[in-house]
Amino acid sequence: MLAVPRSPAMVFHHPLPVEQQPKVGSTLHVTRMIDGFKAAGYDVEVVAGYSSDRVRTMRRIRQEVKAGRVFDFVYAESSTTPTALNDRHHLPIHPFADWSFLRFLRRQGLPVGLFYPDIHWRFPFYRSAVHPVKRRVAEIFYRFDLRWYQHVLDILFLPSSRMRLSVPGWEHSERVIGLAPGGDIEAFETTHRDGQLHLFYVGSIKPPLYDVHELIAAVTKVANVYLTVCCPSGEAELAASFHCDRISVVHLHGDALREQYRMCDAACLVYAPERYRDFTMPVKLFEAIGYARPVLTSAGTAAADFIEATGTGWVVDADTLVPTLTQLVSDSALVTARHDVVVAHQREHSWESRARFVADSLMAPRNKRPPSPTEPRTS
C-alpha cells in the first residue's frame, strides 16, 4: 500500500497571545508570519499565549512528537519583553519551560530558528524611560534569553544582520541572518499629479526615537505638499504643535490605514538622526511597498540602504529634504517612475515570501542557504 504524502508542518512559538487585530508592528509581524506560513502550504502548530497556556501546549506536542508526529522545522518569534516576564503579573513562574521545549525539538532533529525583533533595551532612550530597578531586572532576563538562544537555535533571525553588533554574544556569529518584515500586497495605482504632493506618515511622533520635526518643518516650507500624520491618540497633544493647514492628523490602525495609503503619493520614514536606526527595518517600510507606495526615508539607516539598492523611494538628509520635496511637487514623472519600481518589487517582499525564506534557510545546509532578499548574505 502506498503511503499518503503528509502535508509540510512546522511549529510556531511566541511567548504571548497572538493578536487577531494587531495595532503595532511587533504584534503584526507575528500574525502576518503565521498567515505567511499557511499561505506557503504549511500546517502551523502555534504555541502561544501566557506561560501556563504555553506549558500545556508544549507538553501535548512533546507527547505527539514522541508518538511519531512529524514536523519540518521550528520558528519562534520573541516579544519585545523578556520571555519569562510576559505573564500579566510579570513574574517568572516558568523560566525554563520554553527553552527546554525548543531544545527537545532540536534534539529530535528539527532545525530551530527565532526572530529577535528589537534590542531597544541597550539604548539610552530605554534607560531613561524605565525605572532603574525594573530596568535591571528586565536586563537580567533579556540576557538570560540571549544565552539560551546559543543552546537551542540553528539560526537567529534579526531585522537586519548589522543588528547583531548590538546583540550580546551574537556579534560575530555565523548563525545570524537578516529577516526584514513583509507587507500585504495590493498594487494601488499612482495618484500623483503635477502641482501637488500628498505624503503619509504612520507611527509614533514621540521624541527622541520618533522625532519628526525635520519632516514637519520641510512640509511647512514647500508649497503644495500635503502631509497626513497617523499617530496614536495619546500623542494628539504633540501633533497639535505642527501648526500648518497642509498637515492633517488622524488616529487609525489596521485596515483603516489602507485608504490612507491609496490616497497618498508616497510614504515617509523621515526622522532626526538616531543610532538605533542604523540597523532597524521598520514594518512600515514594507507596508508601504505592499501598497505600491515609494518611500521617503532618512539617510544613514538600514532602511535607506534598502531604498538605495532597490530604487523604491528617495533617501534624504537635512540638506536635501526640502529640494527633494520641491522637485517631486513639480514633476509627477519622478513619482510615477518610483511607483513602477515598487510594483516590480512587491511580490518578493510579501509575508508569504518571508515565510518561504525562513523555511528555505532552516532546511538548507548552512553553505547553501538562500540569500536574503533585502541585504547581502551574512553567513
Side-chain angles (χ1 to χ4, degrees), residues 114-331:
L114 179 141
F115 177 71
Y116 193 66
D118 211 337
I119 195 72
H120 62 291
W121 55 275
R122 298 202 69 200
F123 283 78
F125 63 83
Y126 173 81
R127 298 184 186 118
S128 64
V130 179
H131 188 279
V133 174
K134 290 183 177 180
R135 188 183 72 238
R136 291 190 188 100
V137 172
E139 288 180 356
I140 289 171
F141 282 95
Y142 279 124
R143 293 180 184 276
F144 177 77
D145 283 351
L146 291 174
R147 289 190 178 183
W148 266 104
Y149 295 167
Q150 296 283 355
H151 301 288
V152 301
L153 299 184
D154 293 281
I155 298 175
L156 179 67
F157 293 102
L158 301 176
S160 70
S161 61
R162 66 169 71 174
M163 176 176 154
R164 64 180 167 183
L165 298 177
S166 298
V167 181
W170 292 84
E171 296 90 342
H172 307 291
S173 175
E174 294 183 351
R175 289 185 284 163
V176 171
I177 293 180
L179 178 68
D184 298 321
I185 306 303
E186 188 160 359
F188 286 138
E189 294 294 328
T190 182
T191 60
H192 187 49
R193 51 205 172 275
D194 288 345
Q196 290 188 359
L197 181 69
H198 291 264
L199 303 176
F200 182 47
Y201 171 85
V202 56
S204 175
I205 57 173
K206 186 177 181 179
L209 191 55
Y210 302 101
D211 186 345
V212 296
H213 79 271
E214 289 183 358
L215 175 63
I216 300 303
V219 170
T220 63
K221 292 175 183 177
V222 183
N224 296 320
V225 175
Y226 297 83
L227 171 65
T228 298
V229 174
C230 178
C231 65
S233 57
E235 298 178 8
E237 187 174 341
L238 291 172
S241 66
F242 292 164
H243 302 307
C244 178
D245 59 8
R246 289 180 285 104
I247 300 176
S248 57
V249 179
V250 297
H251 309 294
L252 305 170
H253 59 84
D255 291 340
L257 297 177
R258 178 181 178 278
E259 185 66 10
Q260 296 294 327
Y261 278 109
R262 188 188 68 80
M263 293 188 299
C264 78
D265 303 314
C268 297
L269 290 169
V270 178
Y271 306 100
E274 166 60 57
R275 187 170 68 90
Y276 175 76
R277 301 197 182 282
D278 290 352
F279 56 75
T280 56
M281 292 291 274
V283 169
K284 297 304 177 185
L285 168 60
F286 295 95
E287 181 176 87
I289 288 174
Y291 286 122
R293 292 299 175 253
V295 181
L296 197 71
T297 193
S298 301
T301 64
D305 290 347
F306 171 80
I307 294 294
E308 287 182 327
T310 57
T312 49
W314 306 270
V315 176
V316 296
D317 56 26
D319 296 325
T320 61
L321 179 53
V322 168
T324 299
L325 293 180
T326 302
Q327 189 177 29
L328 296 179
V329 167
S330 62
D331 191 349

